[in-house]
Amino acid sequence: MDINFETATFKDFENIPGYNMMQRADIYYDFLDYMKSNGHQYRLRNNTACNSVINVGNDETTKDYISFVTSDYLGFTQHPKVKQAAIEGIEKYGTGTAATPLIGGYFSYHNDLEKKISSFFGRQEDEAVVFTTGYTANSATLQILLQKEDIAIVDMAVHASVYEGCILTNRKTFPHNNLEALEQILKTSENQYRTKLVIIDGVYSQDGDVAPLKEIYDLVKKYNAFLMVDDVHGVGILGKTGRGSLEDTNLLDKVDIITGTFSKTFGNLGGYVIADKRLATFIRFQSRQQIFSATAPPSSAGILKAIDLIDEEPQWRQKLWTNINYFKKGLNDLGLDTGTTCSAIVPVKIGDPHITGDVGKMLIDHGIYANSIIYPAVARKDARIRMSVMATHEKEHLDKTLNAFEDIKNKLHIAKK
Ligand code: PMP
């Protein structure tokens, strides 16, 4: 089978009929070389930290770029108090847990984290389970809760970890945020499955838009289903006090399962699941990740401080919103399409994947590092540049980026018609 490198995407290499693993690796290796020679590179090396300006590149060619690629929205990976708390965690507990939570790897800081994150959401202390990543919080939880007699009903734009969590169960997807399609699936699934679990994101990772939470919650309850909300990109950013997308809709104590990450706003690594105490206990003792894999290392003690800072230092959230509003308005004033975002994820929607790749390259030439997102992460004709705004961006960073977009817009005609 011939793969046309000019039009190929990563997805085309997942499984090539008749190719064994080495043959697939060979052709993929050549594809990466081809991409590199055309100036398209992923997995670039960051030589500094999650700052707003980062040094990127290999040893021979490194350069400083204004960064829009990390989800360290509030800048907490660099906050002195968060770093100090992480260091204290290491001093007290060492560097690892050396066992899985079920059989010796459950430490008092894990318990502190569970208490802290559940009370952050106004829930009881035994209603949280800590995971190694946000990815496994989703995938491992879903794999243990949903079996072949059950069904997952998912918004098609949910994260890959949710799709992975659904491999042992039945799954139906509905078009993004489409209430009618969701209701239709709920209707046709009535009396057919033991558990019907609707899974959505609070904030969607590619468009930065939010789910119609109240309407979805009402529908889910009308059809006796359950609701799981992954709010990885909402927590710390949305809501009057930063509790995420569920706060302003008063759903924090109503949604059946909330999942999240410690790797974005909280500036660390790890994930969590919030659920009723019996469900949380079931997940804690039954999910394979909790039984067979070690979880959060002692440096996660930094998360305890990061959670406190959401209340203690709201100025970071305020600065983030000042930046988001300024940046979005600047892009829109240039005639660029930022879609339906209501969060710190700001896309510039372009459509054509090749033009999007060219915009990404031109941004790099201007000293700006932002990701080009193409199929399969988004639909084929919905390619975009995706940027994560941070509280630590200065106005001059945003202005420089807006100037770059103005230049690129004039050359590549990417403004909305
Ligand atoms: N859910 C969503 C919506 C995400 O965007 C991500 C990370 N990109 C995850 C889950 C996984 O989080 P983590 O990086 O902590 O594994």
Side-chain angles (χ1 to χ4, degrees):
M1 180 186 161
D2 279 333
I3 294 187
N4 179 353
F5 283 1
E6 256 178 56
T7 53
T9 69
F10 279 19
K11 186 125 190 96
D12 295 316
F13 298 87
E14 263 176 25
N15 193 3
I16 309 171
Y19 279 48
N20 73 20
M21 65 178 190
M22 286 315 298
Q23 291 165 327
R24 273 157 58 212
D26 279 344
I27 189 166
Y28 189 62
Y29 200 86
D30 294 343
F31 176 63
L32 285 182
D33 268 351
Y34 168 84
M35 297 265 286
K36 194 171 168 189
S37 63
N38 282 290
H40 297 293
Q41 284 191 74
Y42 290 92
R43 223 179 151 87
L44 295 177
R45 194 199 300 167
N46 178 344
N47 305 307
T48 40
C50 293
N51 296 322
S52 45
V53 176
I54 60 177
N55 181 272
V56 173
N58 61 24
D59 299 331
E60 300 92 56
T61 52
T62 67
K63 199 177 143 188
D64 286 349
Y65 295 91
I66 299 169
S67 166
F68 290 94
V69 295
T70 69
S71 308
D72 184 13
Y73 298 120
L74 300 180
F76 284 177
T77 67
Q78 308 306 310
H79 195 297
K81 290 180 185 167
V82 176
K83 285 190 190 173
Q84 186 54 35
I87 291 165
E88 283 164 17
I90 291 177
E91 273 165 0
K92 183 161 176 199
Y93 298 100
T95 53
T97 67
T100 75
L102 196 79
I103 53 165
Y106 180 65
F107 287 64
S108 44
Y109 70 85
H110 291 125
N111 186 248
D112 293 342
L113 261 180
E114 287 171 356
K115 286 196 267 194
K116 179 81 77 183
I117 192 69
S118 48
S119 85
F120 177 77
F121 289 115
R123 312 275 289 238
Q124 301 302 311
E125 63 176 67
D126 42 11
E127 294 191 323
V129 189
V130 169
F131 278 86
T132 314
T133 61
Y135 193 102
T136 54
N138 280 338
S139 60
T141 297
L142 289 168
Q143 281 184 22
I144 189 58
L145 294 185
L146 301 180
Q147 307 295 326
K148 60 181 189 318
E149 298 85 353
D150 307 311
I151 186 165
I153 303 171
V154 305
D155 184 297
M156 64 184 287
V158 293
H159 191 252
S161 51
V162 169
Y163 282 97
E164 181 168 324
C166 296
I167 55 178
L168 303 176
T169 191
N170 302 288
R171 172 170 63 76
K172 283 194 179 148
T173 49
F174 57 95
H176 180 47
N177 279 348
N178 185 324
L179 295 170
E180 276 159 35
L182 168 61
E183 179 155 23
Q184 189 56 31
I185 298 175
L186 282 165
K187 237 185 229 163
T188 53
S189 306
E190 264 190 318
N191 309 321
Q192 278 204 60
Y193 302 96
R194 295 180 312 192
T195 302
K196 298 184 291 282
L197 179 61
V198 174
I199 307 155
I200 58 172
D201 286 359
V203 173
Y204 284 88
S205 57
Q206 301 305 344
D207 277 317
D209 59 333
V210 293
L213 289 160
K214 179 78 179 65
E215 290 81 355
I216 290 184
Y217 177 80
D218 290 345
L219 269 183
V220 166
K221 291 302 145 189
K222 178 172 165 196
Y223 289 95
N224 293 318
F226 297 96
L227 180 61
M228 170 165 147
V229 180
D230 171 350
D231 205 19
V232 154
H233 295 282
V235 169
I237 297 149
L238 297 181
K240 199 159 153 278
T241 65
R243 266 58 178 169
S245 63
L246 296 165
E247 181 176 2
D248 292 343
T249 39
N250 290 323
L251 288 171
L252 277 172
D253 58 346
K254 297 196 179 65
V255 161
D256 301 289
I257 304 171
I258 303 171
T259 62
T261 184
F262 293 128
S263 76
K264 301 188 189 295
T265 302
F266 297 126
N268 207 292
L269 176 74
Y272 56 86
V273 173
I274 308 285
D276 148 88
K277 90 170 179 194
R278 283 165 196 269
L279 199 54
T281 305
F282 185 71
I283 295 165
R284 204 174 282 136
F285 283 83
Q286 284 286 330
S287 87
R288 293 173 72 77
Q289 146 111 92
Q290 297 286 322
I291 302 173
F292 296 114
S293 183
T295 191
S299 55
S300 345
I303 302 164
L304 296 167
K305 190 66 218 169
I307 296 174
D308 284 342
L309 288 178
I310 302 285
D311 294 331
E312 289 169 6
E313 298 186 2
Q315 66 268 30
W316 300 110
R317 197 164 65 257
Q318 284 149 15
K319 172 83 188 311
L320 175 65
W321 276 105
T322 304
N323 283 350
I324 296 169
N325 293 332
Y326 181 78
F327 192 50
K328 214 167 79 172
K329 179 171 184 313
L331 291 166
N332 294 152
D333 287 349
L334 289 173
L336 298 172
D337 181 4
T338 54
T340 46
T341 178
C342 323
S343 67
I345 297 166
V346 178
V348 168
K349 299 188 118 198
I350 293 164
D352 181 276
H354 296 286
I355 300 178
T356 304
D358 290 342
V359 174
K361 269 193 293 183
M362 287 171 82
L363 284 170
I364 287 281
D365 293 341
H366 277 87
I368 290 143
Y369 183 16
N371 282 315
S372 316
I373 307 286
I374 56 172
Y375 179 82
V378 291
R380 282 187 196 277
K381 290 191 179 134
D382 199 18
R384 79 279 307 273
I385 300 291
R386 174 189 188 269
M387 289 169 286
S388 297
V389 179
M390 297 190 290
T392 47
H393 279 124
E394 297 302 335
K395 188 168 170 291
E396 60 172 291
H397 301 141
L398 303 178
D399 285 338
K400 189 172 169 202
T401 310
L402 291 170
N403 288 338
F405 268 109
E406 183 163 25
D407 179 55
I408 296 168
K409 176 197 86 164
N410 292 336
K411 291 191 172 118
L412 296 186
H413 310 293
I414 52 170
K416 275 189 281 194
K417 300 275 167 340

